[in-house]
Amino acid sequence: MPRDIQPSRHRSVRYLLLTIGWLSVALGVIGIFLPVLPTTPFLLLAAACFVRSSRRFYLWLVMHPHLGPWIRDYLDGEGIPRKAKVYALSLMWASIAFSCYLVPMFWARIFMLTSAVLVSIYILRQKTLPNP
């Protein structure tokens, strides 16, 4: 657990962060099986919530045998596996294309496409780990 980050002193804030953290873990796990939901961002959000609310849950998440590596590789600055980059970009662009087809509003299409371009740039700028 990062030493420079202290848990919140307010009990209500800690409970709110715990709730958001566990909701994020649930959505992240669902995202493993459902291609529409991104896994890593939800797990990173959960880690951020847990680091401010519960040392025990933060360590559980980061040391988890299946969920932990996704978080540790990112937090350690090691990058994203090539397979994960391809998977994330492919599914994101497929879902954005389908959404643009379904949504008739021009401004909504522009928003979705702009978001997809920005997320793609972010993902592509991250270090690439070889496939395990």
Side-chain angles (χ1 to χ4, degrees):
M1 182 163 177
R3 295 187 193 279
D4 57 338
I5 299 176
Q6 297 297 319
S8 176
R9 288 185 241 169
H10 302 286
R11 181 179 290 191
S12 58
V13 172
R14 279 198 315 268
Y15 287 141
L16 177 64
L17 289 172
L18 280 171
T19 302
I20 294 169
W22 281 112
L23 179 62
S24 297
V25 168
L27 290 173
V29 170
I30 291 169
I32 293 171
F33 306 103
L34 192 65
V36 181
L37 286 175
T39 299
T40 304
F42 282 119
L43 294 178
L44 290 173
L45 176 60
C49 289
F50 289 158
V51 80
R52 298 288 300 191
S53 61
S54 171
R55 177 180 173 81
R56 183 179 74 167
F57 291 140
Y58 174 78
L59 292 174
W60 170 83
L61 182 61
V62 172
M63 302 312 276
H64 192 277
H66 299 292
L67 304 177
W70 298 36
I71 299 165
R72 286 192 307 269
D73 287 344
Y74 182 83
L75 293 178
D76 293 342
E78 293 181 21
I80 302 171
R82 183 179 325 282
K83 184 177 176 181
K85 280 186 174 186
V86 170
Y87 182 73
L89 290 170
S90 300
L91 289 176
M92 179 183 66
W93 279 103
S95 63
I96 291 293
F98 185 65
S99 297
C100 285
Y101 172 75
L102 292 177
V103 176
M105 295 168 276
F106 180 74
W107 63 269
R109 289 178 178 171
I110 294 298
F111 178 77
M112 288 186 283
L113 290 171
T114 302
S115 299
V117 167
L118 293 174
V119 170
S120 296
I121 290 170
Y122 179 78
I123 290 172
L124 291 170
R125 290 189 67 188
Q126 299 299 309
K127 290 181 188 176
T128 303
L129 291 171
N131 289 330

